[in-house]
Amino acid sequence: KRYSFISAKDKGANALKVTFTPMHGVGGYWMTRCFESFALPSFVKVDAQHDPDPEFSTVEFPNPEEGAGALKLSMEAADGNKSVLIL
C-alpha cells in the first residue's frame, strides 16, 4: 500500500526537520512507527524525554501549554539541529 503522497524530493535533504518529544508519555514508539510507515525522514528525538516516565522527571510541570518551561529541552534540541517544528 502507498501511505505517503509526499514526493521523494520533499523527503530528501531539504525536508522540513521535525523535533519530537512525548514529554515522557507513550507517544515515542508510535511517532517513530508513523514516520517509518510514511517513509518520512527521522525526527529529532529529545532523548531525555523519549521514554515513558510517570514522574515526568525533566520538567517542573508536564503540560506543553505551560510553554518554555515544559518545552525547554525540545527547544534546545530543535535549535541544535536547525529544526523549525516541535511536536
Side-chain angles (χ1 to χ4, degrees):
K1 287 185 176 182
R2 183 173 175 187
Y3 294 109
S4 178
F5 293 92
I6 299 172
S7 71
K9 181 184 121 213
D10 292 333
K11 292 180 186 179
N14 295 324
L16 177 71
K17 276 194 169 181
V18 175
T19 297
F20 175 72
T21 179
M23 211 176 293
H24 299 299
V26 295
Y29 171 80
W30 295 108
M31 187 63 84
T32 300
R33 295 269 323 262
C34 179
F35 270 59
E36 290 170 354
S37 293
F38 284 92
L40 296 171
S42 297
F43 54 82
V44 175
K45 182 170 77 169
V46 181
D47 289 320
Q49 296 179 331
H50 193 73
D51 295 326
D53 174 4
E55 300 299 320
F56 298 94
S57 58
T58 63
V59 294
E60 277 186 47
F61 189 69
N63 186 344
E65 288 83 9
E66 189 265 337
L71 295 172
K72 180 179 185 284
L73 293 176
S74 300
M75 290 187 283
E76 289 172 357
D79 289 345
N81 289 279
K82 296 185 175 143
S83 169
V84 296
L85 176 64
I86 297 173
L87 299 175

